[in-house]
Amino acid sequence: DLDELVRKLKFMSVGEKNLLFQLGMPIDIDLLLGKNEDKTQISIIYLNSLQSSKDKEFFLSILTSQLYQWMLHNPSDTLQCVYMIDEIAPYIPAGARKPIPKPILKLLFKQARKYGVGCCIATQNPGDIDYKSFSQFGTWAIGRLTTKQDQKKVMSALKSLTSKDISKQLPKLSPGQFMLFSPDTSKDITELQTRWLITEH
């Protein structure tokens, strides 16, 4: 009985990453976007239910690849969905390190616009993100940055887009305050104050 149990446990650990996609519902981009619904759908995927960073990277790479394939087969001249990733830094880091999702994320950020897919990323540490990815985003909301590394990274990326220097204002921003750069809306960098939440976060 013990040998049989050991054999079964070994079998369960083989290709364990594939088990993520053997149970439950398959990834269906149309379903996630609510294409058959009358109202706009928001689908939230909570990655913290996965135990390790490797599992999160693996899942995100599969999800992003599926979205990329979907948009190639469903091109649109108008915005048809927005793909948002919070705390993006571990998945598209600066430097030579290449976690699994990095190549497909860079490809998506580069091409998504012409297929009607908007991309939105958020991070507390812009200095940790691959600098080439910055140039693919047209609208930036920059919050309080206290480290010189983050300020330098953001300002060097902004330099090609605007001549205005906001480096002295960034450390003084309060929570919920942002400097908004959106050349499609305004040539100037404007101040943005987010509204307070009605209930506690």
Side-chain angles (χ1 to χ4, degrees), residues 113 134-140 161 181-184:
R113 185 180 305 114
F134 275 121
S135 62
Q136 302 302 326
F137 290 86
T139 299
W140 298 22
L161 303 171
F181 176 74
S182 183
D184 293 335

Side-chain angles (χ1 to χ4, degrees), residues 108-173:
L108 182 75
F109 295 159
K110 191 174 182 180
Q111 298 183 11
R113 185 180 305 114
K114 63 184 176 185
Y115 291 94
V117 174
C119 293
C120 179
I121 59 173
T123 181
Q124 295 181 46
N125 306 101
D128 296 339
I129 296 179
D130 180 80
Y131 74 95
K132 289 182 180 177
S133 299
F134 275 121
S135 62
Q136 302 302 326
F137 290 86
T139 299
W140 298 22
I142 307 165
R144 184 170 177 239
L145 296 176
T146 54
T147 67
K148 292 198 173 181
Q149 179 193 4
D150 286 341
Q151 290 175 22
K152 188 177 177 182
K153 189 85 172 266
V154 166
M155 292 315 301
S156 62
L158 267 180
K159 199 173 284 183
S160 61
L161 303 171
T162 179
S163 57
K164 190 172 181 182
D165 184 7
I166 58 169
S167 57
K168 291 180 181 176
Q169 293 166 268
L170 294 180
K172 299 175 184 175
L173 294 175

Side-chain angles (χ1 to χ4, degrees), residues 140-144 172-181 189-197:
W140 298 22
I142 307 165
R144 184 170 177 239
K172 299 175 184 175
L173 294 175
S174 301
Q177 286 186 327
F178 294 89
M179 302 299 293
L180 182 68
F181 176 74
I189 296 177
T190 56
E191 292 185 19
L192 170 70
Q193 173 69 58
T194 59
R195 63 183 175 85
W196 289 104
L197 295 170

Side-chain angles (χ1 to χ4, degrees), residues 4 11 14 46 83 111 121 160 192:
E4 178 67 10
F11 175 76
V14 173
Y46 184 65
Y83 185 42
Q111 298 183 11
I121 59 173
S160 61
L192 170 70

Side-chain angles (χ1 to χ4, degrees), residues 2 6 13 18 27 35 56 66 70 73 79 91 110 118 128 138 143 149 153 162 177 181 189:
L2 186 59
V6 169
S13 66
N18 289 328
I27 292 179
K35 284 295 183 179
K56 293 174 187 178
Q66 293 275 4
W70 177 89
H73 292 97
L79 185 67
Y91 307 114
K110 191 174 182 180
D128 296 339
Q149 179 193 4
K153 189 85 172 266
T162 179
Q177 286 186 327
F181 176 74
I189 296 177

